[in-house]
Each structure stands twice: as C-alpha cells, then as structure tokens.
C-alpha cells in the first residue's frame, strides 16, 4: 500500500482496533494506547497509520496462509476469519463463505495468488468488497458487491495475482447472476 495515499475512516478504525488489542495483550501501556489512538484518529496517510503499529507484532491467527497445488480449499459455516487470509494455489478452486463466519475485524484482506482455477467468495448481506489491488494476467474479477466501505459493515479487500484464474464475489442466495467485471 502506498504510504502517501490518504487514509480513510475505515483505515483509521482498523488501526484503532489493532492498538486497543495491543493494549489488551499488554504490549502498550494505557498512556501509549491513548496517545496512539489520538494520532490514528487524525492520521492523514497510510504511512501515518503504519508508524503507529510498526513496532507491534502480528497477533497469532491474524495472518494465515493456505497453500494447495490441486486440493480443495473450502471454508464454510462458523469458521474464524483471520485479519489477512493468503491463499496460494496452482489448480485449486478456493471457496470462502463468510456469511456465518466469525470475523473480529471491520476489514479483512483476502490475498489470492492463483495460477489456474476459480475462487468464489460469498459475502454476508451489506458487506463491501474492494478488488482494486488484484492483478490479472489472463484472469478476471467479478463482483456484485459495492467497492466502497460502509460504516459498521464488513469490508473485504481482495488483493493478489491471478494468472489464468477468476474470482467471483457475491452474496448468498443471489438468484439473478449479475457479474460486474472490473
């Protein structure tokens, strides 16, 4: 992410949640947390926010990497979604259903690195999904979800690289197939 890019309210909120968790984990004193939260709320750029958490390690389970050559990667039902889920696959067709998942973050990142195959992401109603950080060689990305974050609702950032793969993002129970390609 470009450190000079302007931060959004969602970016500031995500940083505040991380700072609060660092305080709960005993990594920050109350004074440090309060000072950093105040600076996060007035941060202008992504670089400003990154400085506030640069000395904090990722929490266990915040970043998970799933790797598969040709096996299935399926997550449905009540599964815990990490802050960053990285999927590296050559021939698998990942299926991620977030409708009943336990999600502790206002924003999650799905970092997809797919050579062949199709990924399907099912969102809970009202969630948004930004796909601007996906690089497609011969693949495609289609989404029926709005790209802009909505206050109080889950926002999913989809990032990564698709060689000969497709990513489809939809809501559960969508009867009419309308895919808007980026």
């Amino acid at each position: 992410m470009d450190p000079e890019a302007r931060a959004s309210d969602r970016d500031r909120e995500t940083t505040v949640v991380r700072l609060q968790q660092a305080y709960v984990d005993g990594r920050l004193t109350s004074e440090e947390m309060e000072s950093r939260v105040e600076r996060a709320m007035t941060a202008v750029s992504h670089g400003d926010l990154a400085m506030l958490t640069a000395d904090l390690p990722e929490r266990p389970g915040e970043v998970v990497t799933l790797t598969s050559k040709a096996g299935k990667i399926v997550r449905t039902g009540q599964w815990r979604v990490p802050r960053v889920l990285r999927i590296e696959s050559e021939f698998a067709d990942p299926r991620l259903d977030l409708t009943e998942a336990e999600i502790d973050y206002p924003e999650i990142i799905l970092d997809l690195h797919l050579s062949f195959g199709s990924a399907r992401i099912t969102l809970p109603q009202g969630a948004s999904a930004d796909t601007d950080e996906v690089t497609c060689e011969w693949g495609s990305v289609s989404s029926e979800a709005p790209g802009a974050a909505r206050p109080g609702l889950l926002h999913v950032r989809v990032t990564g690289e698709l060689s000969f793969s497709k990513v489809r993002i939809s809501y559960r129970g969508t009867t009419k197939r309308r895919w808007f390609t980026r």
Side-chain angles (χ1 to χ4, degrees), residues 129-134 141-143 147 156-159 167 169 182:
D130 178 359
T131 61
D132 290 345
E133 295 179 63
V134 177
V141 177
S142 58
S143 176
V156 178
R157 276 189 29 228
V158 183
T159 63
V167 174
I169 302 168
R182 154 176 102 93

Side-chain angles (χ1 to χ4, degrees), residues 84-152:
V84 178
L85 178 59
R86 182 170 295 121
I87 296 179
E88 300 170 353
S89 172
E90 289 190 39
F91 297 99
D93 292 325
R95 302 286 181 261
L96 305 174
D97 185 341
L98 303 174
T99 57
E100 298 176 31
E102 295 178 31
I103 304 171
D104 297 331
Y105 310 95
E107 176 182 279
I108 61 169
I109 299 170
L110 301 178
D111 186 31
L112 307 176
H113 296 270
L114 310 175
S115 297
F116 299 92
S118 297
R120 289 183 185 243
I121 301 167
T122 306
L123 301 175
Q125 289 298 321
S128 55
D130 178 359
T131 61
D132 290 345
E133 295 179 63
V134 177
T135 303
C136 298
E137 190 173 328
W138 293 95
S140 66
V141 177
S142 58
S143 176
E144 65 183 45
R150 297 174 176 175

Side-chain angles (χ1 to χ4, degrees), residues 2 7 10 20-21 28-29 31 33 41 48 51 60-61 68 70 98 126 134 140 151 166 169:
D2 179 8
R10 179 65 62 131
Q20 290 170 334
Q21 189 59 55
L28 296 175
T29 66
E31 293 82 17
M33 190 220 28
M41 296 308 293
D48 295 338
M51 289 186 331
S68 175
L98 303 174
V134 177
S140 66
K166 295 179 182 178
I169 302 168

